[in-house]
Amino acid sequence: MTKIKYKLPLFYTGLCLLLLVGSCKKSFIDGIKPTDSASPADVYASADNVRVYFNGIYRNIRAQWKSTDGTAGGATDTWGYNSVFMCRDVKGIDIVMPYNSWYYFDYQNANREPTYRRVKFMWYFFYELINQINVLIDGTTKSATINDGDKKLLLAEARALRAWFHFELAREFSTPYSKDPNAKGIPVYTTPTSDSTKGNPRGTLQQTFDQINTDIEFAMANIGSSQLLKDQVNYNVACGMAARIYLEQGKWAEAETAAINARKDHTLDAAGYPNNYNGLSSSEVLWGFPQTTENGGQSLYYGTPSSFFVQDGSGYGAFWMSKTLVESFSLTDIRNTFYEYDNDLTAPDAYGTNKFGTAVGSAFDVPLLNGDQVPLKTIDFNESLNMMRMGEMYLIEAEAKARQNKATAADVLLALQQNRDPSAAPSGNTGQALIDEILWERRKELYGELGIDWLDAKRLQLPIDRTTTNHPVPYDYIIPANDPTFELKIPQTELQANKSMTAGDQNQ
Amino acid sequence: MRKLALLSCLVLLCSQLWAQNRIISGKVLDEKGNPVPGASVQIKGSRRGTSTTPDGVFSISVPASAKAFNVSSVNFTTQEIPISENMTIVLKIATNPNLQEVVVVAYGTQKKSEVTSAISTVNADAIKNQQIVSVGQALQGTAPGVLVVNTNGQPGENPTIRIRGIGSIGASAAPLIVLDGIPYDGNINMINPQDIENFSVLKDASASALYGSRAGNGVILITTKSGRRNAAPSINLSAVYGISSRAIKDYDYVNTQQQFELGWEALRNTYLSSTNPATVANAIPLATQNLIKNGFRYNPYGPSFPNPVGTDGKLVAGAKPLWNDDWTKALQRSTAARRDVNIGIGGGTDRSKYYFSAGYLNQDGYVIKSNYRRVTATLNYNTDLTNWLTVGARANIVNSKQNFPAQGDGTYSDVVQYGRTMSSVFPIYARNDSGVIIKDVNGKPIFDYGKPAPLPRTVNVNRPVLAPSNVVGTVNLDNWNYDRLLTNLNTYGQVNFTKNLFFKTTFGINRYVLDQLHYEDKDFGDASNLGGRVYRQQDLTTSWTFNNMIGYDQRFGDHHIEAMASYESYKYNLESIYGSKTGFAFSGQQQLSNATTAEQFEGYTVSSTLVSLLARVKYDYQGKYFAEFTIRRDGSSVFAPGYRYGTFPAGGISWLLTKEDFMRGVSFVNFLKIRASYGALGNQALLDGSGNASYFPYLNTYASGNNDITNPGVYLNQLANYRIKWEKQVSTNIGIDFELFKSRFTGSIDLFQKNSLDLIQNKPLPPSSGFGSIITNISKLQNKGIELNLAYGILRSKDFNWDVSFNITYLKNKIVSLLPGTDTFAAVGAYRNVVGKSIYEFYMPVWAGVDPATGGGQWWIDSTDVSGNPTGKSVKTNSYTTAQTKQKWVGSGLPKFTGGFSTKLGYKGFDLNVLFYFALGAKYYDNNYSDLMNGTYSGFGSQLSTDELRRWSKAGDITDVPKLNSSKNDEEQRSTRFLYNGDFVRLRNITLGYTFNSSDLTKKVLKSVRLYVQADNLLTWDHLKKGSDPESALNGNANGNAFPFKTLSAGLDFNF
């Protein structure tokens, strides 16, 4: 009994202490911090750290993408930058879709309503990246520990991307610049978003392009030449971007110079074409997106072009080639990688292309039109994406020169043609015929990569005429030049949340 | 310190009084003179006691100081009897036994008559009568105010539970689950229903405010079984075997011939819509010629019928399909078994009580490979170490394994939707051009993946539906397993300083391990291009709660005060590691080490903490007037410094009218009480845009892992709102409890209103800002309603007992305010959030039937005059795009009325229990059915409902099914065409049992045996298309999950 006498007070004292300990540990709440992210202080401490942020941005440009709040992207046809190209490709003439698959709605030129996935994806994707760039620019500018030289390099790279993303948006959501520079542009952003952001107005297309031009010119003047990976924007890429931007505005002389500057230290590579420069190691490639299934599944998997172009059953196999385009290639052209798929050569699935995918693991051989028996390519989850190649730079220079009536325009075109086809002969075309030949050459060179025929039709106010080739009923139609279907509508969510926009800002 | 010493002296004094003992024996009888077995005889003022033998006899050693016994037994009034030698005690049948019931409340228990708040209780009987897997299912139809929706028929999946409406929009609206006093962070499917003694659902602020910032959506207290003091060991052994199948029959699909004839018509219609005049002119012959090549690409009628449909649109005479495969059947089990075996052993001595249980459950789903297995073991032990110190512990270990084939996700491996998409046109096994099954080198048939094939094969390849895939082939090769291990330990120690003052310390810890393994086969299916893939994830969740409480209980004459104050800390910690690899050398191997290429390898830790001070004061006067006040102050790591602390007070009063003199004369009223309560609660369960828990909403975070090839990368993934704070719920409740006619008719009515303020929502930003939204405290919601709970004992006799009970809840959910201007863009799927409507208010174009002239759809829109003013009339439009700009509110997905009806019949050894559940007043949108009415838009050979046979086919046809069209599907888009009245009644359970009593059996060993048969989810009455399950989702939008299953079972209960 007496033992308890001592134990009890001790016990109570112990409990009181326990209570005190529990309540005094302030860090119990304040010490809880995230473990899987970095703070702004870390990111802007040095140029190397900003590079880490750049890497994250490049990764999100090229890989499977979903908006930070999960409301856009994330489907096989809204799966990052390649979806931008692929939906443009199927909207044009050169790719044929006989059956329902991903992108079928784009193929019908009907995927443009304000609540549609395509519309939201295009808008959210580029604007998310614009904000990331603005955040990076703001943080880098304000950093007290990065030196001015490094800052200039970082800012130039960032502004090239900012110009590019605005440019892409303008090409999707506005009427062509060539039609009316005073038409509605797209909202321009140059400062980071905060919880008080109200939204910017559309302004005019000219205002949009003014900002684009300012950014890309700053970039060309200040950017470095190195590339950590082919996805990084360097001097060549910035010039290539500028070439496309000037071409869109009809600034032919500037486009010509920029295209020539973009080619610095690079050469054409015909031998790499049949494999579509997969792996990006070729000198032909100025800018491209690598893919890998390793290191976090940085791949598009079934979203890659080969998943849609190869016809061996390993992917969706949904894209076939326009008969007219296929038949315009000579048999000696290295780019003639086509084969007959259907016995009926007027059928929508008459021709397939062996340009995309990989021969590694191929289970079948296929006779190409030129008589070669080659492995039928199979899907490649790690297939790289070409963003900018030498071939295009030659063709921009050729077009810009032709528009300026420079006599050397045909020579530049021929240089490319002969690289691709040793037996190519000069056509002797001049004037509009030469321009038409260059435009056709762009389609031959770049089909399936950038959506070039749709982009050019829009830029030059041309119709999409599908009646002269093998498109299926009822999509064998003509879309007149400057038809409203060339513009995506502004997302409903934007019109509703943007204080600077009204219902009148919607596209037709 | 001096006080403490004094207190301990008091305790010591008490203990010294137990010096001399004497033996007292006696007998306990009922009013008719029959012995009462198992009655508790307890020495007044102590915990010491015994219980009577089957002959009603007891014997106990009592100290000289002891003056009286408290004698009690089930259904009898507890009596205080002075101690004498050789006593004979006569117990009176209790007039209102329910009032003696003890209710589990927040941080303690209370007598039912003293409760001032709204609490629903569900006891072990209600659980026992249902063959459930997840304990939440037992609350459906049994607890008023609790909405339980079984959204998935995959065994082991938990129902969605909402208490008194939907209290949140952007944060979690799920209630807090508290298991034996400790907040539960495991999966609730890990709790064995057979271990549960009762549920207490805390519904109003007064009941739940002690859980503060986690109580905003209500609290479910789960109390597990424990032993009884002074009771001989009681052993209960039960075994159940059952057969499960889907509760709802499937949709009706068209057959192969109908597929072809409808397909022909669709193709003809497409050609007729061509811009090319030649195509239009030849539409009919072209449809016949191209039906295989441009349509189905498979020809089940074989090479003899290359064009199986003639130019008359009918199948060519003599054509017979070479195959007629039923994909749905191939993806379902013919018999899904349920096996459930449990043992429970409980008992106690005068100083301790114990309960031990073990259980095994094995439930198959009706979807192929779907299964849930669970093994549980529990030990619960409480003991008085000294007369001032009690300690107790409950230890529990559970392991479960769940096979969960993909469903509801719309992928190519979705087992449920696959059968709903693939028609009999397509063969399960590969066929050559002649339709003969292709075999591998071993002579086994090869599954058809529907891949294209190189020339010259043109038929029976390149399937237009779900190619390349064959879930029948891959479901048995793939694996999607969830392996869960839960251990939890709840311990407490209680020191009684005096009779009136105690200190209790409680520590409870959950450790929950979730191990996922997802394997996709190397040769077939989604990952075949990668040589197979294995994904493995291990989540370790550790959470603990440490509570220290001082309690006080004192009577001063007519006044009774009970008070409690407590300090509590809680920590949640989740460690996750996941990774995947591809490239297997051998089929059958499924582990990471067997594969070659690492795709990803990630891991992170998140934590959150909560510190709290809480207190309760309860007062009553003469056991007639009751008042209770509770308060909790919480500090949480989820918010920014400066926003971390919140205070949640609540109060309740009640008045026991039957204790008043003026009620004495009203003899038919045995009990009447009025209650009222008011208080504030919080909700801190924030969610991010993807619906995952959000732990740092106040930080701009540059997320790691955004690496570019091998270069490390970060990416800004969250726009912070530094000012984010708790959601608040202000809740008011008024209730009446009554017992009439000798307590045969009992019931309660509750009126409630719950206003949710500062609700967290993602405030939309212009998407051009780069963020779609920012988390903000924006909106206000209101849930109000009435709950009625009635029970009546129709017959009470020696052999025959019949009870019925009924409960119904009326609920109205309304958005009270949204940030100005945000009302129009909170549209979520089929819903649109606006002030004045419920959060699941359907908003869509209104279907106006088929235009007899064109066969296209029509929709109702409000007409406007030339100046754009509404004319008050509705007109039809043929444009879906126009209709989309003029959508309408067409009802809510939330039911207005939900409730249950049950009846219990006992005749001699027989017992019959029936439970119905109903939900009325909701709308139901049937996505699944709209997919089957696609008019061939989804591809030739995709499943079609037999309703498509009624399609419009020529001008003048009057029908409600539009023209077949493979290039346009406006009519299949969201509209009221697929919106149904969601009212339904479900026979949840019917059980028939017979109990053999000890007199029928060998007396000593076996006390009783009960044999029973039962049926769960046997019947459903609804207004839906055959094939739809009305319980599919909380919001009334059908999903693609497996449907609930019905189970027919038989069981045996042994009591030793």
Side-chain angles (χ1 to χ4, degrees), chain A residues 210-439:
Chain A
D210 286 347
Q211 180 63 44
I212 293 170
N213 293 338
T214 311
D215 274 341
I216 199 67
E217 278 150 21
F218 177 87
M220 282 193 289
N222 295 291
I223 201 164
S225 57
S226 67
Q227 268 181 320
L228 209 54
L229 294 168
K230 274 272 166 83
D231 60 11
Q232 190 184 339
V233 178
N234 64 356
Y235 176 75
N236 303 69
V237 177
C239 291
M241 287 172 169
R244 290 171 176 175
I245 290 166
Y246 291 137
L247 203 64
E248 187 79 18
Q249 297 170 80
K251 295 186 168 187
W252 311 120
E254 291 90 337
E256 180 191 340
T257 315
I260 293 166
N261 288 339
R263 298 210 299 267
K264 201 171 146 241
D265 304 326
H266 284 267
T267 53
L268 285 171
D269 172 17
Y273 190 95
N275 279 322
N276 196 29
Y277 310 102
N278 200 351
L280 306 173
S281 56
S282 167
S283 180
E284 168 90 22
V285 181
L286 307 182
W287 190 27
F289 292 155
Q291 304 284 335
T292 174
T293 46
E294 293 181 51
N295 309 313
Q298 304 179 37
S299 168
L300 301 168
Y301 294 94
Y302 286 98
T304 51
S306 60
S307 173
F308 290 84
F309 280 103
V310 301
Q311 299 299 347
D312 73 331
S314 57
Y316 298 109
F319 295 174
W320 273 264
M321 293 309 301
S322 155
K323 181 180 170 63
T324 330
L325 185 78
V326 168
E327 288 171 351
S328 73
F329 284 88
S330 73
L331 296 183
T332 48
D333 195 321
I334 188 98
R335 298 172 299 190
N336 192 335
T337 61
F338 306 99
Y339 55 90
E340 293 172 5
Y341 184 81
D342 200 318
N343 298 321
D344 174 2
L345 290 183
T346 61
D349 61 357
Y351 294 103
T353 175
N354 214 29
K355 179 175 176 181
F356 302 93
T358 175
V360 178
S362 163
F364 311 102
D365 276 358
V366 67
L368 297 184
L369 295 184
N370 63 17
D372 292 350
Q373 187 84 7
V374 299
L376 176 63
K377 284 195 185 159
T378 190
I379 188 170
D380 180 6
F381 287 162
N382 293 329
E383 177 176 47
S384 56
L385 299 172
N386 299 330
M387 288 292 289
M388 191 181 286
R389 294 198 286 106
M390 287 294 283
E392 186 197 357
M393 294 302 121
Y394 270 84
L395 290 164
I396 291 176
E397 186 194 340
E399 184 183 345
K401 281 184 163 152
R403 301 276 183 192
Q404 299 171 80
N405 293 315
K406 289 192 179 175
T408 51
D411 301 338
V412 180
L413 173 65
L414 189 64
L416 174 76
Q417 286 171 331
Q418 287 186 332
N419 177 272
R420 302 309 193 217
D421 178 2
S423 47
S427 65
N429 285 331
T430 57
Q432 188 59 42
L434 178 62
I435 290 172
D436 289 345
E437 189 187 350
I438 293 167
L439 294 178

Side-chain angles (χ1 to χ4, degrees), chain B residues 341-362:
Chain B
V341 183
N342 284 280
I343 183 165
I345 303 170
T349 67
D350 61 338
R351 306 203 73 136
S352 64
K353 55 182 184 175
Y354 60 87
Y355 185 80
F356 168 77
S357 77
Y360 172 74
L361 170 75
N362 187 334

Side-chain angles (χ1 to χ4, degrees), chain B residues 175-189:
Chain B
L176 174 71
I177 309 280
V178 176
L179 180 67
D180 288 323
I182 303 292
Y184 181 70
D185 286 310
N187 188 317
I188 68 170
N189 70 16

